[in-house]
Amino acid sequence: MPLRTDIKRVLVIGSGPIIIGQAAEFDYAGTQACKTLKKAGLDVILINSNPATIMTDKSMADKIYIEPLTLEVVRKIIEIEKPDSILSTLGGQTGLTLSMQLAKEGFLEKHNVKLLGADLETIEKAEDRQAFKDMMKEIGEPIIPSEVVTTIDGALAFADKMGYPVIVRPAFTLGGTGGGIAHDCNELREIATNGIRLSPINQILVEKGIAGWKEIEFEVMRDAKGNVITVCSMENFDPVGIHTGDSIVVAPCQTLSDKEYQMLRTSALKIISALGVEGGCNCQFALNPGNFNYAVIEVNPRVSRSSALASKATGYPIAKVASQIAVGYSLDEIVNEVTGTTTACFEPAIDYIVVKFPRWPFDKFVYAKRTLGTQMKATGEIMSIGSSFEHGMMKAIRSIELGFETLSVQKLMDESDERIMEMLHNTDDERAFVVYEAIKRGVSMEHITEITKIDMWFLDKLRHLAVMEKDLAEKGLTPERVRVARELGFLDKTIEELSGQKIEEAEKQYASFKMVDTCAGEFAAQTPYFYSTRDKENEAALFIEEHPTGKERILVLGSGPIRIGQGIEFDYCSVHCAWALRELNYEAIFINNNPETVSTDFDTSDRLYFEPLTKEDVWSVVETEKPIGAIVQFGGQTAIKLTRYLEEMGVPVLGTSPKNIDAAEDREVFDQLLEACDIPRPQGETVFTTEEAVEVAERLGFPVLLRPSYVLGGQNMIIAYETEDVVEYMTIITSNELENPVLIDKYLMGKEVEVDAISDGENYLIPGIMEHIERAGVHSGDSISVYPPQTLSDKIKETIIDYTGRLVKALEVVGMVNIQYVIYHDEVYVIEVNPRSSRTVPYISKVTNVPMVNLATKMMLGHKLIDLGYTPGLQPESDYVAVKVPVFSFAKLQDVDTQLGPEMKSTGEVLGVAKTFSDALYKGLVASGNKMERSGGVLLTVKDRDKDGIIEIGRQFHELGFEVYATVGTALVLNEAGIPAKVVRRLAESKPNIGDLLESGKVNYVISTSTKGRMPQNDSVRMRRKSVESSISLLTSLDTAQALLECLKSHRTIEDIDMVDIKEI
Amino acid sequence: MSYYKRDKRAWLVLSDGSVFEGYNFGCEGTTIGEIVFTTGMTGYQEVLTDPSYYGQIVMQTYPLIGNYGINTDDMESKRSWVNGYITKEWCEEPSNFRYSKNINEFMIDQDKVGIWDVDTRAITRIIREHGTMNGAITTEPVDDALFEKIRTFKVEQPVQKVTSQHMGWFYSQENRANHVALIDYGYKHNIRRMLLKLGCNVTVMPANTTIEEIRNLNPDGIMLSNGPGDPAENVQIIENLKDFIAYGKPIFGICLGHQLMALAMGGKTMKLKYGHRGMNQPVKDLTKDRVYITSQNHGYAVIPESIPESVGVMTHINLNDQTCEGFEYKNCHAFTVQFHPEASAGPNDTGYLFEKFTDLMERGQQGCL
């Protein structure tokens, strides 16, 4: 069937900000969808609140609304744009749920809008627990005994009948939010309460636990003719019980015989056919390891994180094909773009093994509960491709960038045998490492399987790695051992370190590369991508030889897994860099390992290498591609870290020189540079020991800011208000090896301002200055950022431009630089200079119309700003105000303190764009999930330093008609100032207390600040957690509160505010 | 090393002169055959025991082979017929509830020579570019004599080597069953299992069965099985088939059975460059405008233009290379497919063809054909 004739104008709903459970995979899917629809000649209208995405780029759609993803907004845009259809299956759960609600309320029918991909009936069958059960029963597919309940008593009754443990899954929540495993009635009571509340329809599923069954996934496709195929099968290293997003996953399935494989494959095809999905669908199964029994666990009638993984694992672009199917094409009419000669109607055959490894935020959130269960906690993931499981696993370990080269972790090596045996029972992020440690200590495979239920096959493979590690250390090097170790995925560096011997220079051999081509070599490929192996034949080299272009090649280093502090923004930049290089007629060679992103789409670059970003892995690519230069400015700290090695390999680093990159990162050199430029910075020094730290802190005067040098995302940063804080911090930080010193700065409580500048070495361009709402001390990534600045005087702006110019010159910046300033008592101080692109680049590019990455790339290659048609200096300010609001994933991370501070905590961001500041802010706040209730209650509880400030806040809430609640100290201050405030008892005090108040639903906002944070048992931390878990808007800075109040006072709603097509800016 | 057999070197020698060094598994020695690759990611046991691989050295493109071991249920015939086996890696410690031995033990039981830890993808590319070729696996030093043997190697009368010598009877549990004569050109046991599951009684008959023997048996339908080799070499069998067609009972042919049928109908076959071997082959059913994913294992194909439309029409084509995948004949009740609807290994998506066959037989029993 060709393109449907009844579709001309399609609305695509994106997935919004990056949160745990809904990340960059939807930018990848959405970008593919938009490109596909446009190519089919359709008008594309896009709504997505996330500005850091490729899909919201101006070239991606005809109309682009970076607006809040709420029903009101989508309705309004449908009324303005009059689309004839909605593609609901590419925007994650957000897109699907919005589409479903609009369809249900009859809005779509009224406006003659068709649902593409999955109709209402399909969505309901998959999403509604009872409807799903009924359908499964009808088609004879087994499910786990379960019951849909809406009350706690119902849940308890089911568990009594079936026995514990039981698993709770709330309906219509994302990444399993609010679910969990209950081992007894107390746990069930707690989880069920939470789950029922979090479910938008107050419904949960309670199911019998099936611990120890294998977890298997299939990605399947179906077209309107009824053709069905499976793209990929995946097997979880961890048995059922741990969310697949938090599991190590391999593709294809490894431990299933053809009979088991076909049984599940057939079931998946039966399900997608019964659902009537037109596009992609994900089916998750539990398989009894002891017989042929299985059960369908979950079905998602849309593209997902797993489908992104399956696409990258096989070369089959699920989202692209799903979009083509949605507008009418059948599978056999769609071309397989990797081979160029076959169609999309086939099943990829792969001739390698893929390992996916999650990246968790526990290095940032040291007090978070690390236990893994049905609720996803990983912020990102990496994918590695190897010729064996061992090979893939070793690459995976390097790719997650936790500093490991093998599965051996020093911390675990120091533990006692007893402790390791105990730890085997934990299902947390360290599990694979603990298992490995147990294997190394000789614990029997049977025993480990019995405890962990991890399949013996995986354990045996880990044992091979352990044996090799031991042999290298104990038996030394032989040519044979080196060869096998390399085949197992050990780096030469690791082999040398473990054995204490050197591999002869002459013996050093870079890795070869093989293709990902969807067909295991059966057909020649046009646009393959590559992974390294230790085979002799280097297919990448052959491919280059067979496809001569005469173009010079440039290496672009990607940013690896998405983590807090290094998010999708860097992928956005890397992609634009590759595009710019191609525009300039270079071949863009990409190295990255993140399967979720646009950068690892096979047609983004000329050639893609799916590899870890380490020195040796990069070396092999360099030897194969022989690039004329490398670009490190767009891959975040991951790429910057490789600068030195590239230089050692003789690859010119394009743009700002490695020496100057270092100058910006090295504290002492940087201090000298600032002095030479005559630019003030907050006083500070570097220290190595606790004693030094205390001495310096006392000399500078409190508060002081402490942080390790070389960081991104403010990792391990604190503000210390007294000596005790310094000691606590230094004790933690010195417990790990201290390679780099700790920086202590005088902390200035001023206004933070940020600029991104581009320079060609002579002239520089500042697209815009951004001003933060929260005063310094809240990490810039967690602050609300406003462009253009609303409160800066011309003098301050001029100073900022002047300082920026001086720094650009001094650092001889070519390409990008990000500079953060603090304005304190009308003085401008520099806090930080990052000689690379930053997380604000995508949004500033979009609102100022300056294609920053494109320009920066051109400048790195010698183009001049003036020749490119730009006037140096600060660009004229836009008529629009853009407000970037951070988004957090606190609901998914138990025990994490939500108090904002110098350590970054947000996982994503949204943008509000409007003609006025308050409208833009309003949009931003709504987009980030604030309900913006204009009446109800507010709870105030602040630290002593904020007591003065809270009076005004309290007064405004009171004047707006809010009921004001406060803890004793805060209430006292408020009442003395004439603001009526009801005293609430703290959590630790007798009931009724704050806990009851939060549960009562009487409170819409909580404003809480405290000096001491982090420790989960702290009363204020628990109170803030309770607010987050009760879905109450929580503000931890008075500056944010004041901004919110401005919006509430304006009395404007989405109805009153114009929607902005950013292409009109 | 402490895992996998790395004690014995082995070499894979191709007729184009390329040599790959790896390690031996299975038996030691020298073996010669036609080198083919299969892209299935599961089902190695079915591959090893599929008689259609007679005389061939089979290479798996999927690198990890033997992960779930060998079990007693998934045999597609009583023994392994391959002339040798090539994998990137084999698994010494399989994990699966049905596993009874590992693949190395199985190869030794079956007296098969194998080689592993070679660049299987490079070998696949050679075959893709140059076509199927002869080759050898050896644990002995490679010399000119070996090349000569490789050059002159030819599979002689493979169907006669793999077919049953005697009739075999298999009864279904059903009360009123169709009776199928399954002509064994090297049949995969799952054809029999599928028929039994659909309530047919099955009589397995040797490849050289004549029309007299069929008449004596008086079956409701005739199933022409898969099997190895060049179809055109089976001159007498093709002659016999002409009689079967005239007999008028429903006929269902699979793979070699499909090719033999075409030849009996006056058509022609051709050798494919490197064949179709795997379980991801898309086949379009032209009568339904639907595509099915199929299991395939063949080196020859029917030339559709060689059969006039008055005799038969092509019902299925391969979506990758547009080769013929199925025919339906006029003036008789015969249909044949090139792929393997019995799957094993592979997808079960075209199992409905067996039902089409049983429906035909039902109608024949009721005299409604």
Side-chain angles (χ1 to χ4, degrees):
Chain A
M1 275 173 282
L3 182 65
R4 282 170 65 163
T5 49
D6 57 339
I7 301 172
K8 298 276 181 266
R9 220 169 146 71
V10 186
L11 177 69
V12 176
I13 304 179
S15 69
I18 306 291
I19 47 174
I20 289 174
Q22 195 161 272
E25 63 269 18
F26 296 108
D27 186 30
Y28 165 62
T31 300
Q32 282 198 343
C34 291
K35 274 161 75 175
T36 305
L37 298 177
K38 283 204 71 169
K39 212 173 154 191
L42 301 166
D43 287 342
V44 180
I45 300 136
L46 172 66
I47 314 179
N48 193 354
S49 54
N50 185 348
T53 49
I54 291 288
M55 76 186 292
T56 51
D57 258 358
K58 293 187 181 169
S59 62
M60 286 293 149
D62 298 285
K63 302 271 183 169
I64 297 168
Y65 292 92
I66 302 184
E67 298 287 355
L69 288 166
T70 63
L71 281 172
E72 295 78 34
V73 169
V74 181
R75 275 193 218 112
K76 205 166 163 181
I77 289 173
I78 288 176
E79 280 165 359
I80 298 169
E81 294 293 344
K82 305 193 173 31
D84 51 41
S85 49
I86 295 190
L87 188 50
S88 59
T89 50
L90 275 300
Q93 195 62 40
T94 305
L96 197 67
T97 306
L98 281 170
S99 308
M100 184 185 70
Q101 285 169 329
L102 289 171
K104 254 187 157 165
E105 65 186 29
F107 184 85
L108 295 185
E109 203 184 348
K110 194 175 142 210
H111 289 79
N112 287 316
V113 180
K114 292 174 275 287
L115 267 181
L116 304 180
D119 61 20
L120 184 59
E121 199 192 335
T122 299
I123 302 173
E124 280 190 318
K125 270 193 211 160
E127 298 280 306
D128 182 276
R129 298 282 171 193
Q130 190 58 47
F132 180 70
K133 273 175 84 169
D134 294 345
M135 183 191 76
M136 288 297 134
K137 203 171 168 190
E138 208 173 290
I139 62 172
E141 286 300 326
I143 51 171
I144 304 155
S146 66
E147 206 164 295
V148 173
V149 299
T150 51
T151 64
I152 316 289
D153 287 342
L156 291 168
F158 173 81
D160 281 344
K161 197 168 67 195
M162 300 305 304
Y164 288 90
V166 293
I167 298 172
V168 175
R169 298 176 193 273
F172 295 106
T173 68
L174 206 123
T177 306
I181 300 172
H183 297 90
D184 56 47
C185 62
N186 289 330
E187 282 184 15
L188 180 58
R189 204 180 286 276
E190 188 184 323
I191 298 170
T193 311
N194 208 16
I196 290 172
R197 199 195 57 246
L198 285 174
S199 163
I201 54 168
N202 302 109
Q203 191 193 75
I204 57 168
L205 181 86
V206 192
E207 73 186 20
K208 177 146 183 57
I210 44 165
W213 286 29
K214 297 178 186 184
E215 187 164 341
I216 308 289
E217 285 179 74
F218 274 83
E219 286 299 322
V220 289
M221 307 283 302
R222 178 178 176 278
D223 65 19
K225 280 184 189 169
N227 292 321
V228 282
I229 60 150
T230 60
V231 175
C232 190
S233 69
M234 289 169 272
E235 178 167 1
N236 289 11
F237 173 90
D238 304 286
V240 288
I242 295 182
H243 192 283
T244 178
D246 279 342
S247 289
I248 299 169
V249 174
V250 299
C253 289
Q254 296 300 322
T255 67
L256 270 55
S257 71
D258 188 62
K259 294 285 176 293
E260 293 159 288
Y261 178 92
Q262 300 302 341
M263 172 177 81
L264 298 182
R265 180 186 171 279
T266 302
S267 167
L269 296 184
K270 223 161 121 185
I271 292 167
I272 191 173
S273 302
L275 280 172
V277 173
E278 290 171 17
C281 179
N282 160 263
C283 297
Q284 294 171 21
F285 297 98
L287 176 66
N288 190 321
N291 53 44
F292 283 107
N293 288 340
Y294 71 94
V296 182
I297 313 176
E298 198 179 313
V299 172
N300 291 305
R302 55 173 171 87
V303 303
S304 61
R305 182 187 49 263
S306 290
S307 73
L309 178 66
S311 297
K312 302 293 167 68
T314 60
Y316 191 105
I318 293 176
K320 185 180 285 181
V321 174
S323 313
Q324 284 167 293
I325 290 173
V327 295
Y329 295 103
S330 61
L331 279 164
D332 52 325
E333 290 168 344
I334 300 167
V335 175
N336 174 349
E337 288 181 23
V338 172
T339 65
T341 51
T342 53
T343 75
C345 197
F346 81 116
E347 299 197 344
I350 71 183
D351 53 1
Y352 44 81
I353 173 169
V354 164
V355 178
K356 179 211 88 175
F357 207 103
R359 166 81 193 215
W360 291 282
F362 304 129
D363 53 333
K364 289 266 149 103
F365 299 136
V366 283
Y367 293 112
K369 198 167 166 185
R370 302 172 86 122
T371 307
L372 303 176
T374 54
Q375 180 167 296
M376 183 171 162
K377 294 185 175 177
T379 53
E381 63 193 33
I382 61 87
M383 181 181 108
S384 70
I385 310 179
S387 48
S388 64
F389 175 74
E390 296 90 329
H391 190 216
M393 193 67 178
M394 290 296 276
K395 282 191 186 178
I397 293 303
R398 297 202 289 279
S399 300
I400 48 167
E401 287 181 61
L402 289 175
F404 305 146
E405 281 175 17
T406 67
L407 283 136
S408 289
V409 177
Q410 193 56 48
K411 189 178 111 192
L412 297 175
M413 288 158 77
D414 297 341
E415 296 286 356
S416 66
D417 288 357
E418 293 73 39
R419 181 76 191 117
I420 291 294
M421 290 309 290
E422 267 172 47
M423 288 172 88
L424 274 178
H425 291 270
N426 300 344
T427 50
D428 60 21
D429 59 309
E430 290 179 337
R431 186 184 220 194
F433 303 97
V434 173
V435 165
Y436 189 70
E437 188 60 33
I439 292 171
K440 283 207 314 198
R441 297 186 188 203
V443 180
S444 78
M445 301 284 121
E446 289 73 17
H447 196 54
I448 298 175
T449 291
E450 203 184 294
I451 296 172
T452 62
K453 310 287 182 204
I454 295 170
D455 197 280
M456 284 279 256
W457 186 86
F458 292 108
L459 300 181
D460 271 314
K461 300 290 177 188
L462 294 183
R463 187 172 57 83
H464 297 160
L465 291 171
V467 169
M468 178 53 82
E469 205 180 315
K470 219 169 167 179
D471 282 356
L472 286 168
E474 289 169 6
K475 298 183 185 164
L477 302 186
T478 62
E480 172 83 351
R481 186 164 293 124
V482 171
R483 197 178 73 82
V484 176
R486 282 173 175 163
E487 275 183 25
L488 291 178
F490 286 79
L491 293 176
D492 282 3
K493 171 171 177 272
T494 319
I495 294 172
E496 289 180 340
E497 279 170 9
L498 287 168
S499 66
Q501 287 174 271
K502 284 275 166 214
I503 298 172
E504 297 281 323
E505 267 325 295
E507 298 289 311
K508 297 241 164 132
Q509 173 62 47
Y510 60 88
S512 331
F513 294 92
K514 296 287 183 197
M515 283 181 185
V516 172
D517 62 2
T518 73
C519 59
E522 191 176 355
F523 306 103
Q526 303 297 319
T527 46
Y529 45 103
F530 298 92
Y531 65 97
S532 66
T533 75
R534 282 292 172 175
D535 287 309
K536 280 206 185 94
E537 186 178 85
N538 189 341
E539 260 189 284
L542 292 172
F543 187 87
I544 297 166
E545 220 178 279
E546 288 161 12
H547 298 79
T549 58
K551 294 179 190 171
E552 288 177 311
R553 298 192 272 273
I554 292 172
L555 197 59
V556 183
L557 300 174
S559 55
I562 289 194
R563 65 206 94 162
I564 289 172
Q566 189 165 305
I568 187 175
E569 305 84 10
F570 295 95
D571 200 71
Y572 171 93
C573 294
S574 306
V575 168
H576 275 276
C577 175
W579 287 349
L581 291 173
R582 298 179 84 170
E583 184 193 323
L584 293 172
N585 220 21
Y586 291 94
E587 279 195 314
I589 312 303
F590 216 95
I591 312 180
N592 201 8
N593 49 45
N594 186 340
E596 307 174 321
T597 54
V598 179
S599 71
T600 51
D601 199 352
F602 57 80
D603 59 6
T604 297
S605 54
D606 287 280
R607 272 185 298 288
L608 165 68
Y609 291 82
F610 236 104
E611 289 293 304
L613 287 154
T614 74
K615 178 188 172 187
E616 228 174 291
D617 293 294
V618 170
W619 176 59
S620 295
V621 178
V622 164
E623 288 298 322
T624 301
E625 290 282 352
K626 309 242 181 307
I628 60 152
I631 293 178
V632 297
Q633 290 188 12
F634 302 114
Q637 213 60 19
T638 301
I640 288 282
K641 272 192 317 209
L642 292 162
T643 309
R644 183 156 55 96
Y645 302 126
L646 287 162
E647 226 188 357
E648 280 170 26
M649 288 174 221
V651 180
V653 173
L654 303 181
T656 310
S657 72
K659 185 184 102 232
N660 283 322
I661 289 177
D662 228 41
E665 306 246 328
D666 184 306
R667 184 46 174 273
E668 286 189 16
V669 184
F670 185 60
D671 275 354
Q672 289 163 11
L673 191 124
L674 285 179
E675 210 159 295
C677 295
D678 194 21
I679 298 175
R681 61 173 296 274
Q683 270 184 292
E685 288 177 38
T686 59
V687 298
F688 277 96
T689 65
T690 308
E691 293 70 42
E692 281 172 16
V694 170
E695 193 266 318
V696 170
E698 284 174 352
R699 186 146 40 78
L700 292 173
F702 290 98
V704 291
L705 183 74
L706 289 101
R707 62 188 157 134
S709 53
Y710 285 94
V711 292
L712 189 74
Q715 191 162 354
N716 294 322
M717 252 189 211
I718 65 150
I719 294 168
Y721 293 95
E722 52 196 44
T723 308
E724 227 174 85
D725 299 340
V726 177
V727 175
E728 185 200 324
Y729 177 79
M730 289 303 288
T731 312
I732 296 172
I733 209 101
T734 49
S735 68
N736 296 319
E737 273 175 74
L738 209 57
E739 274 183 37
N740 296 310
V742 171
L743 311 179
I744 305 186
D745 290 330
K746 173 78 186 142
Y747 168 58
L748 303 177
M749 189 75 176
K751 173 171 279 295
E752 257 195 74
V753 173
E754 193 170 348
V755 294
D756 288 300
I758 327 167
S759 166
D760 59 12
E762 293 162 22
N763 288 307
Y764 66 95
L765 174 74
I766 303 174
I769 298 174
M770 293 158 274
E771 175 185 7
H772 294 178
I773 298 250
E774 289 82 2
R775 272 164 279 184
V778 171
H779 188 277
S780 63
D782 287 351
S783 309
I784 297 178
S785 162
V786 184
Y787 163 84
Q790 303 293 307
T791 67
L792 299 187
S793 67
D794 286 346
K795 186 172 150 262
I796 296 277
K797 284 188 200 169
E798 272 158 30
T799 310
I800 287 167
I801 297 167
D802 174 34
Y803 284 179
T804 303
R806 287 190 217 174
L807 283 166
V808 162
K809 259 211 177 89
L811 285 168
E812 297 167 331
V813 171
V814 178
M816 270 191 180
V817 64
N818 165 267
I819 308 171
Q820 292 178 22
Y821 296 99
V822 61
I823 294 151
Y824 186 68
H825 294 322
D826 252 4
E827 282 292 326
V828 179
Y829 298 81
V830 168
I831 339 182
E832 211 178 301
V833 174
N834 297 304
R836 51 164 172 79
S837 76
S838 73
R839 71 178 63 79
T840 44
V841 167
Y843 107 75
I844 281 296
S845 298
K846 278 168 203 182
V847 294
T848 62
N849 269 328
V850 176
M852 296 175 73
V853 179
N854 184 288
L855 294 181
T857 305
K858 287 175 177 165
M859 289 174 195
M860 288 180 207
L861 288 156
H863 295 245
K864 295 294 171 197
L865 188 59
I866 293 169
D867 300 337
L868 291 165
Y870 286 85
T871 317
L874 180 67
Q875 294 297 292
E877 283 177 2
S878 166
D879 298 341
Y880 286 87
V881 180
V883 178
K884 191 203 81 173
V885 181
V887 173
F888 303 87
S889 301
F890 290 136
K892 296 170 205 305
L893 295 165
Q894 247 172 305
D895 292 348
V896 170
D897 184 15
T898 60
Q899 167 83 57
L900 300 184
E903 233 182 75
M904 185 166 161
K905 293 182 174 176
S906 60
T907 51
E909 65 199 37
V910 292
L911 195 68
V913 186
K915 286 273 186 189
T916 66
F917 167 67
S918 70
D919 282 357
L921 178 64
Y922 183 85
K923 281 185 178 176
L925 290 172
V926 170
S928 68
N930 279 298
K931 294 186 198 88
M932 304 302 281
E933 312 268 7
R934 280 162 207 272
S935 60
V938 58
L939 170 65
L940 308 175
T941 165
V942 296
K943 63 188 173 197
D944 288 343
R945 261 186 302 278
D946 286 333
K947 293 264 153 75
D948 283 346
I950 199 67
I951 295 174
E952 267 319 295
I953 303 278
R955 188 187 313 281
Q956 294 170 73
F957 270 112
H958 172 64
E959 282 166 9
L960 282 168
F962 279 83
E963 189 79 61
V964 178
Y965 302 88
T967 45
V968 178
T970 311
L972 193 66
V973 177
L974 290 169
N975 289 337
E976 277 176 359
I979 303 154
K982 290 188 180 162
V983 178
V984 195
R985 278 198 286 267
R986 295 182 180 283
L987 268 182
E989 296 167 359
S990 62
K991 282 173 162 267
N993 57 27
I994 280 191
D996 303 291
L997 177 67
L998 293 175
E999 273 174 24
S1000 71
K1002 287 183 192 154
V1003 171
N1004 308 95
Y1005 300 96
V1006 173
I1007 295 162
S1008 162
T1009 67
S1010 63
T1011 326
K1012 293 268 181 183
R1014 314 235 287 178
M1015 299 295 280
Q1017 55 274 34
N1018 274 357
D1019 197 77
S1020 59
V1021 177
R1022 279 169 56 213
M1023 191 278 297
R1024 286 192 288 267
R1025 287 299 319 168
K1026 184 111 197 153
S1027 314
V1028 165
E1029 281 150 22
S1030 314
S1031 312
I1032 298 172
S1033 295
L1034 170 75
L1035 311 170
T1036 64
S1037 154
L1038 298 192
D1039 297 328
T1040 326
Q1042 186 54 47
L1044 173 93
L1045 276 164
E1046 294 300 330
C1047 286
L1048 294 181
K1049 285 192 293 189
S1050 80
H1051 293 288
R1052 282 165 73 86
T1053 67
I1054 283 293
E1055 286 305 317
D1056 310 318
I1057 305 175
D1058 286 340
M1059 298 290 110
V1060 179
D1061 170 8
I1062 61 150
K1063 292 186 91 163
E1064 302 287 321
I1065 295 179
Chain B
M1 286 296 124
S2 49
Y3 53 92
Y4 303 156
K5 245 167 73 75
R6 288 181 196 263
D7 50 348
K8 185 88 186 162
R9 284 276 170 198
W11 293 268
L12 172 72
V13 183
L14 302 184
S15 62
D16 71 350
S18 32
V19 179
F20 293 83
E21 188 180 56
Y23 296 98
N24 171 237
F25 77 125
C27 290
E28 292 176 19
T30 298
T31 183
I32 301 173
E34 188 184 36
I35 312 271
V36 296
F37 66 85
T38 177
T39 61
M41 297 178 283
T42 51
Y44 51 85
Q45 182 175 350
E46 288 88 337
V47 166
L48 281 168
T49 57
D50 177 349
S52 296
Y53 283 108
Y54 177 87
Q56 294 173 325
I57 294 177
V58 179
M59 182 178 70
Q60 298 278 356
T61 60
Y62 187 66
L64 307 185
I65 295 300
N67 290 352
Y68 51 86
I70 299 286
N71 61 57
T72 50
D73 303 333
D74 295 346
M75 300 291 281
E76 279 307 310
S77 69
K78 286 185 183 135
R79 47 164 287 199
S80 174
W81 299 94
V82 302
N83 267 13
Y85 201 48
I86 308 166
T87 70
K88 178 82 183 165
E89 179 181 317
W90 61 278
C91 181
E92 191 169 14
E93 308 98 347
S95 171
N96 192 277
F97 68 100
R98 294 191 298 157
Y99 131 71
S100 60
K101 59 180 74 161
N102 74 33
I103 191 163
N104 182 50
E105 292 160 344
F106 179 74
M107 302 252 299
I108 291 170
D109 286 353
Q110 297 285 320
D111 205 21
K112 300 296 175 195
V113 182
I115 183 172
W116 71 285
D117 202 8
V118 287
D119 188 344
T120 46
R121 197 169 153 93
I123 302 163
T124 305
R125 282 162 51 89
I126 292 175
I127 297 171
R128 184 183 82 207
E129 298 306 320
H130 303 284
T132 309
M133 61 178 79
N134 289 343
I137 301 171
T138 181
T139 53
E140 309 296 324
V142 178
D143 55 18
D144 288 347
L146 181 62
F147 275 106
E148 185 56 20
K149 279 189 214 156
I150 290 172
R151 205 181 54 75
T152 53
F153 172 84
K154 192 174 184 310
V155 180
E156 304 281 353
Q157 292 295 314
V159 171
Q160 301 304 327
K161 305 283 175 23
V162 300
T163 184
S164 327
Q165 299 307 311
H166 310 285
M167 285 203 271
W169 292 273
F170 300 89
Y171 295 102
S172 167
Q173 308 295 322
E174 304 284 313
N175 283 333
R176 200 190 123 275
N178 291 305
H179 181 193
V180 177
L182 169 55
I183 314 296
D184 175 19
Y185 304 126
Y187 85 103
K188 275 166 69 188
H189 284 185
N190 213 47
I191 295 180
R192 188 184 78 210
R193 293 184 204 116
M194 293 284 281
L195 290 169
L196 289 171
K197 211 187 284 172
L198 285 172
C200 301
N201 291 325
V202 179
T203 302
V204 176
M205 306 187 80
N208 301 324
T209 295
T210 60
I211 188 65
E212 285 71 33
E213 288 160 314
I214 294 281
R215 274 188 218 285
N216 288 342
L217 193 71
N218 189 26
D220 299 306
I222 302 171
M223 177 96 221
L224 310 177
S225 84
N226 62 298
D230 181 350
E233 284 180 3
N234 302 288
V235 179
Q236 186 55 50
I237 289 173
I238 293 165
E239 282 309 307
N240 293 348
L241 257 185
K242 288 179 183 165
D243 299 335
F244 295 2
I245 295 162
Y247 181 59
K249 293 284 172 76
I251 298 179
F252 179 21
I254 291 175
C255 198
L256 182 68
H258 155 80
Q259 296 162 357
L260 294 172
M261 186 73 182
L263 292 166
M265 287 288 190
K268 287 194 172 59
T269 53
M270 61 173 182
K271 186 163 180 160
L272 298 169
K273 190 176 180 189
Y274 52 94
H276 298 161
R277 291 175 187 87
M279 36 204 249
N280 66 340
Q281 298 274 342
V283 166
K284 187 175 226 171
D285 185 332
L286 298 169
T287 61
K288 295 172 146 188
D289 191 25
R290 275 285 305 273
V291 181
Y292 298 93
I293 304 301
T294 67
S295 172
Q296 299 202 5
N297 170 21
H298 60 106
Y300 292 82
V302 170
I303 301 169
E305 303 78 38
S306 67
I307 298 168
E309 264 181 50
S310 57
V311 176
V313 288
M314 182 158 75
T315 53
H316 295 77
I317 56 158
N318 188 301
L319 215 54
N320 288 337
D321 61 4
Q322 269 68 49
T323 52
C324 172
E325 291 282 356
F327 246 90
E328 190 147 351
Y329 294 95
K330 292 180 175 164
N331 310 318
C332 62
H333 310 287
F335 68 99
T336 62
V337 288
Q338 180 63 70
F339 53 89
H340 291 266
E342 81 281 9
S344 201
N348 301 309
D349 305 5
T350 48
Y352 69 91
L353 290 168
F354 282 90
E355 282 162 42
K356 178 175 171 180
F357 182 45
T358 52
D359 285 349
L360 270 178
M361 289 188 286
E362 302 272 334
R363 273 159 52 204
Q365 279 190 351
Q366 292 157 7
C368 318
L369 267 180

